Amino acid sequence: LIFSARPWLLPDPATASNDSADRRNTVNPSYISYQIIPDGSKKLNPTLKPISSSDLSKIFSMAKSKNGGALWLGEHHNSAMDHDLQANFICCVHDERNKGGDPKMAVGLEMVQVQFQPALDAYVSGQITSEEMRRRVEWDKRWSWSFENYLNVFETCRELNIPLIALNVDSEDLGLVETGGFPALHREQIQKYIIDPSGFAEFAKTRYYKTYVDYVISPSYDLHKELGILRTTITGQRLEEDMPFTRFFSGRILWDEGMASNAYKWSMSNPGGLIIGLVGADHVKFEGGITGRYKRLANGQYDSISVILNPTLIDTRPSGSVSMATNSAASA
């Protein structure tokens, strides 16, 4: 868990330096971080262990690990504070890995679908502007959260020549699952996102995963229903009635599995490298989402660390115990 302790200062584009140290001083966050120590006893009373910022950077960088792996930074999509914190961590991790002699790293994006990888490559290499990248990845149509809030992340990666990796499932494929379930996908489409079919099937059979569904996915479905957005698929197709939970669930697990698989593919192609995944907080909770699926695929080959940035009440309280209004008021 990482909590920002004070407001952020954004760099002035007219004076911002290309040097990562200057950028990190310009965007100089103050934050406190904790490791959660689980309690397996009947008391179920976890504790928190403070972690210094210098130790945190070393842990995040995995510089001493020969395995490499993934660092998942669970964000709140509408929080500029979260995204600037991500940019700062990217700088710090880059510096730590350079000190260790293995700078190989990438930043994976939930916000961008796999079909748009060429646009990310063109942006990082300096061939196109950020606005052109925004247009080519169809940001305003397919993601909708503020592009400007993420701009500091993108500019940091471009300045440091860190590849941006599209992690998300293409809307066209996800829309088919939301209306017809997995049978609506052709075999080739399924293989694009699910590279371990047997492991994918077994993952959902455990008692632990069923608890995760009750705690995370079911409340998400209820929230979507409350907001009145279950009558539209990801592609904008109008439904005559609310999307049934089974279809919503199928889309959600394809989303998680697809992003985990794409990160794993990068790890396999870049031995010892580190991919920093920028994804929604729900996807990193309790290892039932992306993080557990990546670990399953890695099977001990690669390390995995998950973090929730600036957790709110709704991130940390029992499911259904906090309303959206209460959560917003407490986070203000």
Side-chain angles (χ1 to χ4, degrees), residues 152-195:
N152 196 28
V153 169
F154 300 149
E155 290 179 345
T156 295
C157 291
R158 179 165 168 159
E159 289 172 8
L160 299 178
N161 197 31
I162 298 172
L164 292 170
I165 306 299
L167 294 182
N168 214 339
V169 174
D170 292 337
S171 292
E172 292 81 359
D173 296 333
L174 184 59
L176 291 174
V177 172
E178 289 181 336
T179 55
F182 282 103
L185 292 180
H186 295 300
R187 184 175 181 178
E188 294 76 15
Q189 292 169 300
I190 293 177
Q191 290 175 336
K192 183 164 63 171
Y193 308 115
I194 303 174
I195 59 178

Side-chain angles (χ1 to χ4, degrees), residues 25-103:
N25 289 333
T26 306
V27 184
N28 187 22
S30 175
Y31 61 85
I32 51 178
S33 54
Y34 299 91
Q35 178 183 0
I36 302 174
I37 310 299
D39 179 9
S41 72
K42 293 182 179 180
K43 293 182 179 180
L44 295 177
N45 185 27
T47 56
L48 298 178
K49 176 184 176 182
I51 305 175
S52 70
S53 58
S54 58
D55 286 344
L56 191 67
S57 294
K58 292 175 183 177
I59 293 170
F60 280 1
S61 72
M62 298 187 190
K64 294 184 178 180
S65 169
K66 295 181 180 180
N67 298 333
L71 166 64
W72 303 99
L73 300 181
E75 66 175 47
H76 304 87
H77 302 316
N78 61 344
S79 172
M81 190 180 297
D82 284 10
H83 303 314
D84 287 324
L85 188 55
Q86 290 168 335
N88 179 265
F89 285 144
I90 290 168
C91 281
C92 293
V93 168
H94 179 267
D95 287 353
E96 286 291 337
R97 290 188 65 82
N98 271 317
K99 291 176 188 175
D102 187 4

Side-chain angles (χ1 to χ4, degrees), residues 209-223:
Y209 188 73
K210 290 179 173 60
T211 301
Y212 168 79
V213 172
D214 291 340
Y215 203 98
V216 177
I217 299 183
S218 292
S220 179
Y221 176 81
D222 293 339
L223 176 60

Side-chain angles (χ1 to χ4, degrees), residues 8 22 28 57 112 139 143 172 188 230 248 252 261 303:
W8 292 74
D22 286 350
N28 187 22
S57 294
V112 181
W139 183 280
W143 188 243
E172 292 81 359
E188 294 76 15
L230 284 177
F248 180 87
R252 178 61 175 268
S261 295
D303 297 329

Side-chain angles (χ1 to χ4, degrees), residues 52-307:
S52 70
S53 58
S54 58
D55 286 344
L56 191 67
S57 294
K58 292 175 183 177
I59 293 170
F60 280 1
S61 72
M62 298 187 190
K64 294 184 178 180
S65 169
K66 295 181 180 180
N67 298 333
L71 166 64
W72 303 99
L73 300 181
E75 66 175 47
H76 304 87
H77 302 316
N78 61 344
S79 172
M81 190 180 297
D82 284 10
H83 303 314
D84 287 324
L85 188 55
Q86 290 168 335
N88 179 265
F89 285 144
I90 290 168
C91 281
C92 293
V93 168
H94 179 267
D95 287 353
E96 286 291 337
R97 290 188 65 82
N98 271 317
K99 291 176 188 175
D102 187 4
K104 188 165 32 183
M105 61 181 288
V107 171
L109 304 175
E110 178 190 6
M111 311 87 217
V112 181
Q113 298 168 14
V114 293
Q115 62 183 300
F116 300 122
Q117 183 60 51
L120 297 181
D121 294 339
Y123 171 73
V124 173
S125 65
Q127 299 175 46
I128 61 174
T129 65
S130 59
E131 277 302 313
E132 177 64 13
M133 178 185 73
R134 178 180 186 169
R135 185 188 69 79
R136 290 193 190 184
V137 303
E138 300 181 10
W139 183 280
D140 299 302
K141 173 184 177 182
R142 295 179 184 253
W143 188 243
S144 78
W145 300 101
S146 169
F147 181 83
E148 287 73 21
N149 283 352
Y150 289 89
L151 193 55
N152 196 28
V153 169
F154 300 149
E155 290 179 345
T156 295
C157 291
R158 179 165 168 159
E159 289 172 8
L160 299 178
N161 197 31
I162 298 172
L164 292 170
I165 306 299
L167 294 182
N168 214 339
V169 174
D170 292 337
S171 292
E172 292 81 359
D173 296 333
L174 184 59
L176 291 174
V177 172
E178 289 181 336
T179 55
F182 282 103
L185 292 180
H186 295 300
R187 184 175 181 178
E188 294 76 15
Q189 292 169 300
I190 293 177
Q191 290 175 336
K192 183 164 63 171
Y193 308 115
I194 303 174
I195 59 178
D196 173 29
S198 59
F200 172 71
E202 290 298 319
F203 190 79
K205 293 180 180 179
T206 65
R207 181 179 177 183
Y208 172 85
Y209 188 73
K210 290 179 173 60
T211 301
Y212 168 79
V213 172
D214 291 340
Y215 203 98
V216 177
I217 299 183
S218 292
S220 179
Y221 176 81
D222 293 339
L223 176 60
H224 280 70
K225 189 170 186 177
E226 180 183 332
L227 295 174
I229 54 179
L230 284 177
R231 295 203 173 190
T232 307
T233 68
I234 191 74
T235 56
Q237 179 182 344
R238 296 290 299 174
L239 305 175
E240 293 184 2
E241 55 187 21
D242 285 346
M243 185 187 306
F245 178 76
T246 52
R247 294 286 185 263
F248 180 87
F249 175 75
S250 296
R252 178 61 175 268
I253 61 176
L254 177 66
W255 195 318
D256 281 338
E257 186 75 13
M259 289 195 286
S261 295
N262 287 323
Y264 176 66
K265 290 175 187 175
W266 186 90
S267 294
M268 286 196 299
S269 299
N270 297 272
L274 171 67
I275 183 167
I276 301 178
L278 309 187
V279 299
D282 271 1
H283 294 290
V284 306
K285 292 177 181 176
F286 314 116
E287 296 196 349
I290 299 174
T291 54
R293 293 174 183 278
Y294 177 87
K295 279 189 174 181
R296 188 199 80 235
L297 291 164
N299 195 28
Q301 285 182 287
Y302 312 118
D303 297 329
S304 180
I305 298 173
S306 60
V307 178

